[in-house]
Amino acid sequence: MERTFSQRVYDVVRRIPEGRVATYGQVAALAGAPRSARFVGFALHSNPEPGVIPCHRVVFRDGSLAPGFAFGGPERQRALLEEEGVVFIPPSDGKPCGADGWKVDLDRCQWRE
C-alpha cells in the first residue's frame, strides 16, 4: 500500500538527527513533493507522535521558527532546539524573525542528507 503524504513527511522528519534542522521545503522534496512545503506544516501540526517525530527540527527556509508551532509555540521550539545544540543568530536587519527575532544558523545546523 502506498504511504500518504503525511506518512512520508513523518518518515523524513524522523531521520533529522539531533542538533540539526531541515526546512519545510527540504522535507517536502525528500517526501517526494517538492512544491508542498505548506502541506508539510499541516502534517506536522497533526503530529501523531510528538517527541518521537521531532517536528521541532523543521524551520522556515530562512531559519526562522513558525509562530504556530503546535507543541508550545516558537519559544518552546527554540528551547528544544537549543537543548540539542542548535545555534541561533540574531537578526541582522533589525526586523524580527522567528522567536524573539532570532533564527537558526542554517550554515552550521542544516541537515544535509
Side-chain angles (χ1 to χ4, degrees), residues 89-110:
I89 55 175
S92 59
D93 57 7
K95 295 180 184 175
C97 52
D100 301 327
W102 293 66
K103 59 185 176 179
V104 172
D105 185 341
L106 292 176
D107 290 335
R108 293 175 61 184
C109 299
Q110 187 169 8

Side-chain angles (χ1 to χ4, degrees), residues 53-64:
I53 300 169
C55 59
H56 66 282
R57 295 180 187 151
V58 182
V59 300
F60 289 133
R61 67 181 172 194
D62 68 351
S64 61

Side-chain angles (χ1 to χ4, degrees), residues 63-76:
S64 61
L65 306 181
F69 180 66
F71 304 98
E75 293 77 18
R76 179 68 182 139

Side-chain angles (χ1 to χ4, degrees), residues 11-17 19-23 26-27 30 57 106 108-113:
D11 290 344
V12 170
V13 173
R14 280 186 182 100
R15 296 193 324 251
I16 304 169
R20 297 285 178 206
V21 298
T23 66
Q26 181 182 0
V27 171
L30 291 169
R57 295 180 187 151
L106 292 176
R108 293 175 61 184
C109 299
Q110 187 169 8
W111 174 51
R112 309 283 183 205
E113 184 179 65

